[in-house]
Amino acid sequence: MTRGDACTAAGAATRRACTAAGAATRRPIVGSVHSWDLSTGVDGPGTRFVTFLSGCPLTCLYCHNPDTWRMRDGKRTTADDVVAEAAKYRTFIRAAGGGATVSGGEPLLQPVFAGELLHRYKHELGLHTALDTSGFLGSRATDALLRDVDLVLLDIKSWDRDTYQKVTGRPLRPTLDFARRLAELGTEVHVRFVLVPGLTDDPANIEGVASFAASLGNVSRVDVLPFHKLGEGKWEALGMRFSLHDTPSPTPAAVAEARETFSSYGLNAI
């Protein structure tokens, strides 16, 4: 019997030693967790157990969870504790056609911990798995980690490089490289694009994202998300200036037009 076969046949406790994290240490795998919650419709299909990890290398101008940016602000938590919490809802989640999502922050800032959670959600709890990521740290995701991912929720925040840098404080290239890698692997992807008036709503910018997403061949859905200011209070509570304070939400017509652009490339735009 090969090691892979042995891992498949092993019990839950033994299988932990078969993950990338388990192979590295016998100690409990620990990460920085902001929170976890049950959600429906926004973090992948169906009702989902969502784990929000702390820490993010991006500083998006419209981020609605700036309290997840710093890893040190999260709670040090073992994977055992998180999986035990998710297990309480397994029957309900599976009946509702849902699964488990690892989000953030940016989960790939903690690739070993994120990989451990995804592996155990999939193989111990039998749940559909999703990874919610900007793709900026996609190079940290091993092939083994991605094999435990059924769906990637990929934020492509702009096609124009200068706009992407302005929005996130980081370059666009790593996200595009990760998207192409996912296409080569055949991993299902949902692209998420936030429509911000005066920032990301230029028609050429939207068309650039649409053309790129359509070229990949593995994008089953595009979520066009209207900009909102629901997180502004968190910025103020953290003593941070919310620079988009005077930016309005896009009109319904503008959102519909953006969705039509994606649809014109044969994409399922929501």
Side-chain angles (χ1 to χ4, degrees), residues 38-270:
L38 287 178
S39 74
T40 302
V42 294
D43 298 289
T47 299
R48 307 189 72 81
F49 182 85
V50 186
T51 315
F52 298 95
L53 305 192
S54 292
C56 185
L58 275 58
T59 52
C60 296
L61 297 180
Y62 51 71
C63 180
H64 58 277
N65 287 318
D67 50 329
T68 67
W69 284 2
R70 299 189 301 185
M71 194 183 301
R72 66 177 179 270
D73 290 340
K75 180 181 178 181
R76 298 293 288 172
T77 309
T78 67
D80 289 341
D81 287 342
V82 179
V83 173
E85 186 69 20
K88 297 177 183 178
Y89 309 100
R90 172 175 50 183
T91 301
F92 169 70
I93 289 171
R94 293 177 70 175
T101 299
V102 180
S103 184
E106 171 51 65
L108 292 179
L109 194 61
Q110 303 181 63
V112 172
F113 186 64
E116 180 79 355
L117 293 178
L118 289 162
H119 185 88
R120 294 177 64 181
Y121 288 153
K122 186 177 184 71
H123 296 285
E124 289 185 24
L125 304 186
L127 297 177
H128 175 278
T129 57
L131 175 68
D132 183 359
T133 177
S134 70
F136 179 72
L137 297 178
S139 61
R140 296 192 179 189
T142 65
D143 287 349
L145 182 154
L146 293 175
R147 281 195 294 270
D148 288 327
V149 176
D150 295 310
L151 171 68
V152 173
L153 307 173
L154 183 64
D155 294 329
I156 303 182
K157 302 170 190 294
S158 173
W159 179 251
D160 179 82
R161 272 64 170 170
D162 291 339
T163 300
Y164 192 94
Q165 183 83 38
K166 181 178 180 179
V167 169
T168 69
R170 296 289 186 174
L172 172 61
R173 177 69 178 265
T175 293
L176 303 185
D177 289 345
F178 184 56
R180 294 186 182 102
R181 180 180 168 204
L182 293 173
E184 291 174 359
L185 293 172
T187 305
E188 183 183 4
V189 168
H190 288 181
V191 166
R192 296 208 270 197
F193 175 76
V194 180
L195 188 67
V196 187
L199 192 60
T200 67
D201 63 340
D202 184 273
N205 187 49
I206 298 169
E207 187 159 355
V209 177
S211 177
F212 176 73
S215 74
L216 297 173
N218 62 329
V219 177
S220 61
R221 169 171 163 164
V222 176
D223 290 298
V224 178
L225 306 174
F227 163 73
H228 62 73
K229 292 184 280 191
L230 297 180
E232 184 174 5
K234 290 185 179 181
W235 286 71
E236 294 174 351
L238 293 169
M240 299 163 58
R241 177 177 173 271
F242 187 68
S243 63
L244 300 183
H245 173 76
D246 295 325
T247 300
S249 296
T251 65
V255 175
E257 185 175 350
R259 288 175 177 150
E260 177 56 34
T261 298
F262 284 99
S263 297
S264 71
Y265 279 85
L267 295 162
N268 176 30
I270 305 298

Side-chain angles (χ1 to χ4, degrees), residues 10-25:
T14 303
R15 274 202 302 270
R16 287 200 293 272
C18 298
T19 66
T25 177

